[in-house]
Amino acid sequence: MAEDASPLLEVEDLQIELVTHRGVVRAVDGVSFTVGQGETVTLIGESGSGKSTTAMGVLRLLPEGLAVLSGTARVGGEDVVADPEAARRVRGRTVSLIPQDPMTALSPVHTIGRQLGDALRLRHPGLSRAEARERGTRLLDQVRISEPGTRWKTYPHQFSGGMLQRILIAIALAAEPRLLVADEPTSALDATVQAGVLDLLLDLQERTGVGMLMITHDLGVARLVSDRIHVMKEGRFVESGPAERIVERPTHPYTRTLLAAVPALGPWDEDGLADHTPLGAAR
Amino acid sequence: MNQPSAPPPFLAVEDLVVDYDTPAGPVRAVDHVSFDVPRGGSLAVVGESGCGKSTLARAIVRLLKPVSGRVVLDGTDLAALSERRLRPLRRRAQMVFQDPYGSLDPHLSAERIVAEPLRLAGVRDKAERRRCAAELLDRVGLPASARERRPAEFSGGQRQRIGIARALASEPDLLVCDEATSALDVSVQAQVLDLLRELQAETGITYIVIAHHLGVVREISTDMVVLKAGRVIERGRTAAVLASPTDPYTRALRRAALDPAAIRGLKPRAATAVSPEGTGK
Amino acid sequence: MTTTLAPPERPSAVSERHLARSSAARQRRGARVKLWAGAFCTALVALPVALAGLLPLADPNTQDLSRRRLPPLTDGHLFGTDQLGRDLLSRLLHGGQVSLTVGVLAVVVSGLIGIAAGSAAGYFGGWIDTVVSRLLEAQLALPLLMMLLLVVALFGPSVTVITCVIAVAQWPEVARLTRSLVLVEREKPYVAAARLLGLRGWSVLARHIVPNVLRPASLVVLLLLAQAVLLESALSFLGAGPQRPFATWGRIISDGQDYITTSWWLVTLPGLVIALLVVGVNLLGDGLRDRVRTHKPAKGV
Amino acid sequence: MSRYLARRLGQSLLTVFLTVSTVFVLVRLAPGDPAAAYAGPTATSADLARIREEFGLGEPLITQYGIFLRDLLTGDLGTSYSFHSSALDVVLERMPYTITLSVAAIAVTVAVAVPLGVWMARRADTKRELGANVLTIAGQSMPDFWTGVMLLTVFAVLLPVLPASGFTSWSGLILPTVTVAILQLALVSRLVRREMTTALASPYITVARSRGVSERALTWRYALANSAVPLVTAVGTRFAALLNGVVVVEVVFGWPGVGSLVVRALETRDYPLIQATVLVTATLAILVQLLVDLAYPLLDPRVRLGKAA
Amino acid sequence: GPTGAPGPGTLTLGLNRSLVSLDNKLNQFDAAVTVQRAVRQALTAIGPGMKPTPVLADRFEMTAPTTWSVRLREGIRYSDGRPVTVEDVATAVRMYGEVAGSFVLGLFPELPSVEATGARTFLLHTRQPVPVLDRLMANILITPAKDNRPEELRSGVGTGPYRVVGANSGAGEYTLARVPRYWGGRPAVERVRVRFVPEESSRVVALRSGELDVIDTITPDSAEQLTGLPGVHLEQTSGVRLCQLFYNFRKPRDHPLADARVRRALTYAIDGESLVRDVLTGSAEQAAGVVPLSLQGAERTGSFVHDPARARQSLKSLGADGLRIRIMWESGEFAADTSVMEAVAEMLKDVGVRTSLLQFEPGGDILKWRQGKGGDWDVIGNGFPGPTGQAVTMLQAMYAGTAEDERTGDAFMGYVDPAIARRISDAATEADPAARDRELAAAQHAVWDTWPCLWAFVPKTLLARRTRVEGIGLLPVNSYDLTAVRLEG
Ligand SMILES: Nc1ncnc2c1ncn2[C@@H]1O[C@H](COP(=O)(O)OP(=O)(O)OP(=O)(O)O)[C@@H](O)[C@H]1O
Ligand SMILES: Nc1ncnc2c1ncn2[C@@H]1O[C@H](COP(=O)(O)OP(=O)(O)OP(=O)(O)O)[C@@H](O)[C@H]1O
Ligand SMILES: [Mg+2]
Ligand SMILES: [Mg+2]
């Protein structure tokens, strides 16, 4: 754990414009935030507001011919906006990504073992195949993939969406990053698995002080894991602040709308005493 | 299962078994699942990730051929039909895919993707199709400026909405939504859920909703089944199951559900609000 | 939602340079260059060939034995003369009409059959795949030239027969490639989505899969042009070409082979003309494929 | 899989058989007379009749076919009319040359075209890419005869560094190989370019990049593996075609391959030799294609062979 | 030096046809003879001036019209040391008779029978007189009786100056090495490599690069290209092959072409000089007789005259001015065949005769057409070899057709003229050389007067060699004696 006072991620006035066939689109319009060690910063906001673009921009993963970045984004002190090489250096070492769409994020013609193993061996070049496999299965087990041993040699299309998402989390963790950029990392997981995964992440944060930039639509998750929340709309932050304040005392109308729209879970009988329609009659 | 007096269910799934062929032999993903849904009803399917929900959904709309069992839609057993006999019925049972990006034809614009089912529905006029597609895209909250874009140029949530619009364009009688709103922010999600409810009121469409978010389940469904490892472990009225789940897994699920309003305190928090018995490990 | 530059409080960082180097602009520029260069090269060959009858050219079959094998640019023969003193340019242009037809038909027929059969085999599998695959396998397994010669021997060396034979000669290569592309493509989720809509198999294939495999497949198809034109020269060489003294490109080349080291232009110039045409057509194809169809022109900042 | 394999092998055998049978019938239907080609210009009808008798061409077609099948079962493909020895031996004697040239040409093609295609994908829409395009297309559009003779003139006459013809030393393999490779270059490189462009734009490449996978590995391991199916198909098809011989190149370089053999056999209507050549080359070509087919599921696990959609 | 160049002691020959075997029972083309005879020898050989010269025989005399007395040379041995016996000769003759479809056999009116009269002497008997038997026997190569079989021999030994040390008959490649104790003089060249290079331009390139030492049977264009190149020398002699544009003699009586005057009138249209000079680039001579003049017994009978005006006028006066002519030939029948045909067509057009050209793939049905079984045609392009060097052989094959032959289509192009046929056959069996020549000359004049060809020419025999190769005595039959060849430097 590096004793470094400077934040892991420091984004200042980041602006991302996409040069498309139909003209220039400003997807991210001057956002600034920092993620320090052991901190979780969450972006929430409208679908299409530029959250993923921000995340990808920070990693400089947007196609060079498409995105024009300006402002600064310092990852571990290196400004990736000014220096594309810096981005290459930090990716997979200082920072790693959990992508948004798990179903297309893995190469369909390579086994997940191969892809996870590659990630491990990038981080630890000395690792033998067997060792990589050993570590890999352990990681898969940690993200609650059952029978990781037999699944090592299977291909992405043989997994469910949620399983792929967890595999991607495992791959991201394989890099043992200091900063984790997680784009809706649990959107395809059911609550129990989600809890397990979040637990894993929080535990990791506890132990290693990994910083997290999280994007989520689940305000519950946001509330649970975040230190700070930024609410994004149309490429800008409309509201930023500590998690509790945003959830409990939103000031911006958009944030209020968001909170109001959260589907309620309703009361429940935590002790399991009330009876309900018995099993077998589904109506 | 059916009382003689009750009207025949619109969709009845009986003893459905689905296997995947793998090099290592068949893998059973759905294991003797039965349930039925009345016309205009909406049934939620929840369960652990990887328990076979998507498989079930794909089997219902007959993208997968079940090993055994029946899928009776409005009196016709889809499971037994040949591809040719099935084709005219296809339009009636649509699905929103869990993989929004992969399920969109990469070379078509959003508008054409949504217009495609309209063509099949017999809308001959091209301009008319465009107009309808535009309207649908509008209803799911996609800006007009985005209609000409291809799937690769959209955000995750936007892709998901194109998928919803496409499914709705067929004007199906049965819509299977496989995590249709998981990538939407809550306000757009609410908008989409409103839309679905509205349509149900208008047209009597039947929904099968696969969702992880119990709040969404509660909002959209009247009944629910809980799957685990391919089997039904619990079923009932949604409100009842959510209020007092009986199966340990369901209880664990309910307990693990995060309600922002309910979470208190600062990190690190006991995220493992799940009792060990419930995780199934 | 994003704004397409709503109130520009913040200046855009997109400079002209960015714009010019963006992949969108590059692609558009690349497509335009290819389109124009391709159209130019194609027209440079195809137009004179089409207008051969109207141009002030010497008769393609009139011989002048005293002026045989004149190098290019002598005595008013732009491309020189051939071994019998006939004007090479005139022969090239007149003969080009048949050769172009052969080439274009080969591309169209082989391309259509190949793509249709290959994608049907890949998509439907089952007996269609068996039949198509075995058929193309068999045709690929036979020496092409031998088969052409046999068929020409059977039906006689008329231009029609030769055209037909060459036109269908090449479908297996296209079919096999298309089939392989479709085999991968049909397993992608969007195909399942299209099937779910109730599209017939053929519509799924034609409207969704084929457009997605057409780019690589058409690459192969357009390159067939050269092969088709040159195949005819192999036939001519063995006496199975169209009736003499009519000149086709293949015939000119095969007749000129004997003189390649003494009179370079007899083979080189027709070869260059073919190359120019094929380059042109392929660039044109690339340009059309890469062309960006936008309704709104790109706006600067 | 093994059932599929068994079925495919059966079908392939059948294809070879039908192919050979088709050729058997076609060569006999086509005009031409082996006896006349054999006997030369001074032969009389009586000579011809005797030769025909000798060749067993007097029998009705169906009887000849029966005999052919019977002999085929014992591995006897008859005696070549012009070589006066076992037709199969004549073909097998030439096969090593054809296989050597085919393998070398395909190897060179792949070794040049794949990196070239990758380079073109990375330099997409630049002047240099355009130049590479024009050069490769022009290369494959020039008559192979021309290319061969030009290479000969440059490398055997002007700078005499390579032998002009025959396979007297390994250096004799260079020019024919290069000539054949030039004919394939445009196709393979452009295909690689097209497929790589698509693959490199896929999300999994971006995600792999986010893991710190080097650009080199991204290109060569990830993107290329995802373009493998069409690439292997195109190369396999070309390879199968090369196994049938490359007549012109063989002729220009005095390469004793089967391509010129079969054309010559056809010229002399040497039926046994034609049949033997077709049998051998068809078997090889079909085998290559079978291997390509079997490779699909290995190259892309999503591909399911032999299954209807 | 360039890669692949032969060593100082090795002579490399580049043949343009694949030499399937070093035996000639089934396979003989003129250039192959050079190599075949370096390994196996016959009793005689055709030497300069088409005269027979003794080889294995040192005496070969006609003792009666149907009997020849032959004596084997003293002390000749095969390369493995075995002596040559009369039995070997008898077996060889028998084997040539037994092999089916032999080209050699076609040259013999009948095969002689062998009657041994001593250890080295024997008699050859024929039923009919065969006055040229001494020349014909040059084609029967002698092999030990024990190894001889009625098929083409793949291996085995001969009496020649070379033996085979490496062979790939499928590829047409052979390596020959000097026999240490050859019965004749020791050959100058130590090793001979024979290679098959089918493509003319490659042969030329290989010769230029020094990879090949000798290329034979080269085309006019290669000759033109090689002339004057340093290090390369061209040899040429007049040839024995006759290339004709032969008329169809199966035309109905009322057809213009059935009239010799029309046939002659058409010949005036052809500018033979220009064809020879411009199209054949001087590598041929116009025929001045009905067979090549280099053949023994050939007679100069007249020449082709170019006079288009006269052609037009005679055709008109003969009522044949609307004539349409179909010319056909098989690809590769002779060098520059297509150019010659296209030029001829153009010349005929100039006198108002419309021509269509029909080219055949090799191996197609040209024979059927020649036998009149394929359909109608007017002129056919045809090359006729003269491997025996005798005018009579060629005349017999072309002009001695009888009505009986014609029933099976065997009369050459339907040419049946009983008087001429009788004359030729009489000459063929005439034992007295002077009388035979007189008879033959008369027959040739008679043939010429029937104007059988639209045009005919005799290609020269051309060979190109590196200058280091000396002593090639190229014969009109397109072969030479390898023992005489030397390598300098
Ligand atoms: N290639 C492109 N061309 C044009 N617009 C694009 C392109 N890629 C993304 N966009 C647009 O940029 C905006 C930002 O997209 P981004 O993926 O960052 O959204 P997001 O906040 O992650 O949304 P979601 O929650 O739905 O994933 C969207 O409006 C999207 O339509
Ligand atoms: N093509 C396939 N081949 C083999 N096994 C498969 C295949 N597709 C899915 N599976 C397996 O089937 C099981 C059920 O998958 P399914 O996609 O139905 O899960 P799910 O309930 O939708 O999960 P999630 O909530 O994560 O999407 C999983 O264990 C998965 O590994
Ligand atoms: Mg996103
Ligand atoms: Mg799922």
Side-chain angles (χ1 to χ4, degrees), chain B residues 25-92:
Chain B
V27 171
R28 181 141 301 180
V30 172
D31 196 2
H32 296 284
V33 167
S34 308
F35 57 79
D36 43 31
V37 196
R39 186 184 295 275
S42 53
L43 175 85
V45 179
V46 300
E48 201 178 17
S49 161
C51 69
K53 303 181 294 296
S54 302
T55 311
L56 174 65
R58 292 161 65 88
I60 290 174
V61 297
R62 259 302 301 280
L63 283 174
L64 290 174
K65 197 162 169 52
V67 175
S68 66
R70 283 150 53 88
V71 178
V72 183
L73 180 75
D74 207 6
T76 323
D77 181 10
L78 300 184
L81 290 185
S82 71
E83 186 68 34
R84 187 144 47 88
R85 302 267 307 284
L86 188 65
R87 196 174 305 122
L89 302 177
R90 283 266 192 223
R91 223 165 57 73
R92 300 185 57 193

Side-chain angles (χ1 to χ4, degrees), chain A residues 151 157-158 160-162, chain B residues 20 22 49-55 98 212:
Chain A
R151 290 199 146 119
H157 73 277
Q158 295 172 314
S160 80
Chain B
Y20 284 109
T22 65
S49 161
C51 69
K53 303 181 294 296
S54 302
T55 311
Q98 184 179 11
H212 286 310

Side-chain angles (χ1 to χ4, degrees), chain E residues 32 34 40 50 56 67 163 168 223 234 249-250 253 267 309 311 317 351 364 389-390 401 437 453 468-469:
Chain E
T34 307
R40 289 193 179 83
M50 298 294 163
L56 294 184
T67 308
R163 66 196 166 88
N168 179 349
L234 231 54
F249 280 83
R250 294 190 184 92
R253 262 177 207 297
T267 65
S317 65
V351 300
Q390 305 299 310
D437 284 354
C453 299
R468 73 174 191 139
V469 183

